[in-house]
Amino acid sequence: MSYLVLARKYRPRSFTEMVGQDHVVQALTNALSTQRLHHAYLFTGTRGVGKTTVSRILAKSLNCQGPDGQGGITATPCGVCQACRDIDSGRFVDYTELDAASNRGVDEVQTLLEQAVYKPVQGRFKVFMIDEVHMLTNTAFNAMLKTLEEPPEYLKFVLATTDPQKVPVTVLSRCLQFNLRPMAPETVREHLEKVLATEGVQADAQSLRLLARAARGSMRDALSLTDQAIAFGGGGLHEAQVRQMLGSVDRSYVYRLIGALAEGDGRSVVETSEALRQNGLNAASTLEEMSTVLQRMAVVQVVGGGDDADPDAQEIERLAQAMPADETQLLYSICLQGRADLGLAPDEYAALTMVLLRLLAFKPAAGDSAQKKTLATAPRPVEARAELAVSPPVAASARPSAVPPPPAAVPAASPAPSAAAADPVVVQPWEEVPAGHVLPVRESEPPEPPAAPVQVRNPAVARMEPAQAAHEVVAVPVRTSQESRVDVAQGGGDLQPTEEGDFWFATVQSLIDSDAIAAMVRELAMQAQLIGRDTDQWLLRVERESLNQPSTRERLTSALRAAGHAVELAVELGRVTDNPARRVRAAAQARQLGAEKIILEDPLVQALMQDFGAKIVPGSIKPL
C-alpha cells in the first residue's frame, strides 16, 4: 500500500477541522446556516493556508445530501454521502477545478463556461473552482465577466489566488473576498503535536518549534517538513537532527555572539564566527536566528517577563539585561541589513564577521566626553519642536578663513572693518556678568546710540584669541526680523478688525462647523467683508470678481436663511481689510510667533547657539 503524505492525509474535510482561519470559517458558516449565499467567492493568501481546502469544503456544504439522502445546504457536511465522498476523491461531476496556471487562455475559459448552461447532474449546485486565477490573460478575464456577474442560480464560482493585486478590479467587484492569513508559529506547532500524536511519532518540543518557524505560516509546508524530518531522523524528531536538516544554527552560537557583542569582546565574536565556518553552518541562517532573538530581547526590555514554558526565555532575559536597549535596536537593524549584503561578498563567512563587528565599530565608548554627556542629559523643551544643526566647537583663531564662524555677536579687536566686510552693525552693550553666565534673551528694540558704539566686523574675517573669546563672549543676542512680526492685537498685515467683522466671522464659522457651505460658497464667505447690515439686506465686499457669481451668492443666501438669517445679499467689488480668511491667517501667524519665541528663549537653545554655533533650521519650528 502506497504511503500518503501528511499534507494530504490530514487535509481538513470540514470547517471544524480548519486551523488558523477562524474569521473565514465563521463568515462561511453563518452564510450557509442562513442560506445567504453569494454566487462568487475569492480566496486569497500565501501558499499552504487552505484556499483549495476551503473551496472543497464549501462545495460539499452546498451539495451534501446527508447520511439518509434527505439533507440540504449545511455548514457541517456529513462526509459519508455520495456527493461528499466524490468531492473528497476528486470525481464529482458537478465540481470542476481549473488550474489557471496551465489553462490561462480564453479558449480554456470559454470551454469551462460552456458547461454553465447545463444544470447539475448529481448535485444541487455546479461549482467552478479556478485556482491561481491571477494567471489568466486579460481576454480570458473579459470572457468570464458576464457569466461571473449574472450566473445561473445553480452555479457558484470559487476563485483562489496568491496575488490578488493582479486580479482586475472588474473581477474583484463581482466576488466576496476572503483573505486567508499566514498561520502563527504557535498555531502550527500545536497542530503538528496533534498530527504526530495520531501518527505515534515521538518529537521534542524544540524540534517542533523549529519546524513551525521554518514553515513561515504555511501549514502544508509544515507538514511536508515534518515528513522530511521523520525520514531524516529514522522515525523520530530530535532537535539536533532537525537543525541539521533545516541548516539552522544552534541557538548556543547565537547566544554566545550576542553576549560577546554586549560585552564588547571582539575576539570572542571572531572565534565564534570561525566556529560557524568550521561546522558549515549557514551565515544567513545565523543572522536570521540573531534577528529573532534580538526581537524577543527588545520585547523583554520594553514589556518585561517572558514565556516560562519557553526553554529559551531565561537566556533571552539575561541577554536583554546585559545589552542596552539602543544597542539591541542597532544590532537588529545591522542583522537585517547584513542579510541583504551577504550575497555581495566573495566569502559569506567573512561578510558575517564584518556584520557582527560593525556593531563594535558603532558601539559607544565607555568613557564619553563631558560634552556628549552634557548634551545627552540636558533637558529638551516640550512646548515646541525645532531642528538644531550643531557644529563642533572650534576656537575662533583656529577656523579657516574660508569657513565663516557661527553668526554670533563677537566684539572685534579693531573697530575698522575690512574691505570685504559688510556694513558695521551696532550692538547694544550688555551688563557686566561673570564669565560663562548666560544672559536672558531680550526682545530686539531700536537701540539708543551709545557713547562709544562697538562695531563688529564680518564674521568671515573676524579674528580673536581663544582665551579672550572665552571671557568676553557671554551671550548670543537673538534678533527677529522686523518684517516677520505681526501685531496680534491688530490681527496681522493689513487686517483692521471691525464690529461687523466680528459678527461675520462668527456667522461664517458656524456655517462651516455645520457643513452648510463648501467649495466656492465657502470661499466667498471666507474672502468677503461684511460692510453693513439692514433688516433684510447685507452688503458684502470682495476683491475678486470671480467670487461674485450669481449661483454662488444664491447658495450662500440659502445657507444663511437656513441658519436663521432671512436676508438678501448684495456683493460689491473693493478693497477688503477685515474678512474671516485674514483673521484665520493672523491667528496662525500669532501661534507661529509664539512657538518661535518659546524656542528662541529656551536656555538650552541659547547654550547650544553660544557654545557650539548651532542654528535653527528655517521652517522647522511648528506650533503644537
Side-chain angles (χ1 to χ4, degrees), residues 9 23 39 107 200 218 262 277 339 352 359 373-374 404 418 425-426 446 457-459 482 488 502 533 547 550 618 621:
K9 183 177 181 180
H23 61 294
H39 60 268
D107 294 336
S218 171
R277 179 200 296 269
R339 288 187 63 191
L352 173 63
L359 176 69
K373 290 182 179 179
T374 301
S418 64
V425 180
V426 179
R457 294 184 295 167
N458 188 295
Q482 295 295 333
V488 179
D502 296 339
R533 288 181 290 163
L547 294 173
I621 300 178

Side-chain angles (χ1 to χ4, degrees), residues 12-87:
R13 287 176 168 78
S14 65
F15 287 125
T16 57
E17 297 179 7
M18 288 287 296
V19 177
Q21 307 296 345
D22 295 339
H23 61 294
V24 177
V25 170
Q26 180 179 353
L28 294 178
T29 299
N30 292 340
L32 291 166
S33 300
T34 59
Q35 298 195 11
R36 298 179 63 89
L37 303 174
H38 203 270
H39 60 268
Y41 297 88
L42 175 64
F43 298 115
T44 67
T46 186
R47 74 277 180 275
V49 294
K51 300 184 294 297
T52 304
T53 298
V54 172
S55 170
R56 293 180 180 178
I57 297 175
L58 180 60
K60 289 195 295 184
S61 299
L62 294 172
N63 292 288
C64 180
Q65 300 170 356
D68 56 357
Q70 304 298 320
I73 299 174
T74 177
T76 56
C78 65
V80 297
C81 67
Q82 188 67 34
C84 291
R85 287 187 283 110
D86 287 349
I87 292 175

Side-chain angles (χ1 to χ4, degrees), residues 227-238:
D227 254 331
Q228 182 180 352
I230 293 173
F232 187 84
L237 297 181
H238 306 285

Side-chain angles (χ1 to χ4, degrees), residues 210 213-214 242-251 281-282 285-286 289:
L210 291 172
R213 284 203 303 265
V242 172
R243 284 190 183 277
Q244 185 178 358
M245 182 196 76
L246 297 175
S248 301
V249 178
D250 189 348
R251 280 281 175 92
L281 298 175
N282 187 269
S285 178
T286 302
E289 287 289 332

Side-chain angles (χ1 to χ4, degrees), residues 410-419 421-427 451-458 461-463 468:
V410 182
S414 174
S418 64
D423 293 335
V425 180
V426 179
V427 179
V454 180
Q455 295 181 339
V456 179
R457 294 184 295 167
N458 188 295
V461 296
R463 292 294 181 269
Q468 182 183 1

Side-chain angles (χ1 to χ4, degrees), residues 4-292:
L4 190 62
V5 298
L6 297 179
R8 293 181 59 187
K9 183 177 181 180
Y10 291 95
R11 179 192 292 269
R13 287 176 168 78
S14 65
F15 287 125
T16 57
E17 297 179 7
M18 288 287 296
V19 177
Q21 307 296 345
D22 295 339
H23 61 294
V24 177
V25 170
Q26 180 179 353
L28 294 178
T29 299
N30 292 340
L32 291 166
S33 300
T34 59
Q35 298 195 11
R36 298 179 63 89
L37 303 174
H38 203 270
H39 60 268
Y41 297 88
L42 175 64
F43 298 115
T44 67
T46 186
R47 74 277 180 275
V49 294
K51 300 184 294 297
T52 304
T53 298
V54 172
S55 170
R56 293 180 180 178
I57 297 175
L58 180 60
K60 289 195 295 184
S61 299
L62 294 172
N63 292 288
C64 180
Q65 300 170 356
D68 56 357
Q70 304 298 320
I73 299 174
T74 177
T76 56
C78 65
V80 297
C81 67
Q82 188 67 34
C84 291
R85 287 187 283 110
D86 287 349
I87 292 175
D88 285 335
S89 59
R91 58 174 183 266
F92 190 62
V93 69
D94 293 321
Y95 177 71
T96 304
E97 287 189 6
L98 178 69
D99 178 20
S102 55
N103 300 279
R104 58 193 306 266
V106 64
D107 294 336
E108 289 84 354
V109 172
Q110 286 180 341
T111 302
L112 177 68
L113 296 178
E114 287 175 358
Q115 305 176 23
V117 298
Y118 303 105
K119 290 187 175 183
V121 177
Q122 290 180 284
R124 197 175 293 110
F125 292 94
K126 275 182 174 290
V127 179
F128 288 168
M129 194 277 180
I130 305 178
D131 199 7
E132 300 299 338
V133 68
H134 67 275
M135 300 290 289
L136 292 179
T137 62
N138 288 333
T139 52
F141 276 121
N142 293 333
M144 65 183 293
L145 282 180
K146 188 60 179 177
T147 307
L148 184 64
E149 182 177 9
E150 298 179 356
E153 60 181 7
Y154 51 79
L155 178 62
K156 303 294 181 184
F157 281 94
V158 179
L159 312 179
T161 178
T162 56
D163 194 354
Q165 303 297 329
K166 294 182 180 179
V167 179
V169 293
T170 51
V171 174
L172 295 177
S173 64
R174 290 166 166 81
C175 302
L176 285 185
Q177 183 172 343
F178 295 94
N179 182 29
L180 280 73
R181 305 164 184 163
M183 301 179 198
E186 287 303 314
T187 302
V188 176
R189 181 183 60 81
E190 292 173 359
H191 186 67
L192 290 181
E193 287 179 349
K194 296 177 182 178
V195 170
L196 294 177
T198 305
E199 291 287 313
V201 176
Q202 297 294 326
D204 55 36
Q206 193 60 25
S207 63
L208 294 182
R209 290 179 187 274
L210 291 172
L211 292 172
R213 284 203 303 265
R216 300 188 183 278
S218 171
M219 187 63 75
R220 182 175 62 218
D221 288 4
L223 291 171
S224 298
L225 289 173
T226 303
D227 254 331
Q228 182 180 352
I230 293 173
F232 187 84
L237 297 181
H238 306 285
E239 179 184 359
Q241 295 173 336
V242 172
R243 284 190 183 277
Q244 185 178 358
M245 182 196 76
L246 297 175
S248 301
V249 178
D250 189 348
R251 280 281 175 92
S252 61
Y253 289 104
V254 174
Y255 297 149
R256 194 186 313 169
L257 284 172
I258 297 178
L261 291 171
E263 297 173 0
D265 186 359
R267 178 180 296 275
S268 178
V269 170
V270 174
E271 292 175 352
T272 305
S273 178
E274 187 62 27
L276 292 172
R277 179 200 296 269
Q278 294 174 358
N279 292 329
L281 298 175
N282 187 269
S285 178
T286 302
L287 293 178
E288 181 179 351
E289 287 289 332
M290 288 186 66
S291 301
T292 303

Side-chain angles (χ1 to χ4, degrees), residues 463-475:
R463 292 294 181 269
M464 193 173 183
E465 292 299 327
Q468 182 183 1
H471 292 287
E472 296 192 19
V473 182
V474 293

